[in-house]
Amino acid sequence: MKIRKLVTTISLIIVLSCGCGKTENDPDAALSTYHAGITSFNSDIAELSSRMDAIDITAEDAPTTLLICLDEMNAHFTELSELSVPDRYNGAKGLAVQASQSMSEAVDLYHQLYSAERFDAELSQRAKLRYDEAMGFVDSIGALIMNYSE
């Protein structure tokens, strides 16, 4: 799944960029805090991805379980958008805000989709598009971090 690729890529970037002898007394604490926030975000999204992949789509509670996972994912995207971004990663803040907005819209659309009496293919497509868009913004954050960490 795309989420696993994304999480693996960003995790590798973070490990490579912040595994360089950082200490508690590091003068660039904002950078360390940001890296910790990104690492936490990646771990949380990976765990949710695994839970979503494990949903039995034939189970009666599958839609509810999926929506719970998506709500949790949305909360993590909100947290990502609220991280204080060091100047070194200029542009990451805007990408995180866009990712959060897209995920919020996706989750709202998925809730509408699963509460509707009949399946709405257009609504499903719009929800998936917004979800993919949010993940694309996260990919862009990872690329930005990688470019500035080399």
Side-chain angles (χ1 to χ4, degrees):
M1 179 175 232
K2 185 177 180 180
I3 294 175
R4 288 179 195 216
K5 177 184 154 207
L6 168 73
V7 170
T8 301
T9 301
I10 291 180
S11 295
L12 180 61
I13 292 167
I14 297 300
V15 168
L16 292 174
S17 68
C18 68
C20 310
K22 300 279 183 205
T23 66
E24 294 288 327
N25 299 325
D26 189 344
D28 199 356
L31 186 60
S32 295
T33 300
Y34 183 68
H35 285 172
I38 291 291
T39 300
S40 176
F41 172 81
N42 289 329
S43 296
D44 294 337
I45 297 303
E47 187 269 331
L48 283 166
S49 175
S50 293
R51 285 178 35 205
M52 288 167 64
D53 287 344
I55 295 172
D56 176 3
I57 61 171
T58 63
E60 189 174 315
D61 68 341
T64 301
T65 304
L66 176 63
L67 291 174
I68 289 169
C69 289
L70 287 169
D71 287 340
E72 289 179 41
M73 190 173 283
N74 193 33
H76 292 300
F77 270 76
T78 299
E79 292 168 4
L80 174 69
S81 74
E82 293 171 351
L83 286 176
S84 177
V85 181
D87 291 339
R88 177 179 188 175
Y89 301 130
N90 187 25
K93 181 66 173 185
L95 291 169
V97 168
Q98 289 176 302
S100 179
Q101 290 170 344
S102 292
M103 183 57 71
S104 180
E105 289 174 23
V107 171
D108 286 345
L109 291 169
Y110 277 117
H111 275 276
Q112 290 174 34
L113 180 68
Y114 286 107
S115 66
E117 291 182 26
R118 293 185 313 168
F119 180 76
D120 183 339
E122 182 183 327
L123 188 59
S124 175
Q125 192 173 36
R126 285 190 354 227
K128 176 78 167 102
L129 180 67
R130 289 291 182 220
Y131 179 89
D132 290 344
E133 184 177 76
M135 292 302 175
F137 286 126
V138 173
D139 280 340
S140 295
I141 293 169
L144 188 143
I145 291 170
M146 183 152 60
N147 287 337
Y148 287 101
S149 296
E150 294 177 337

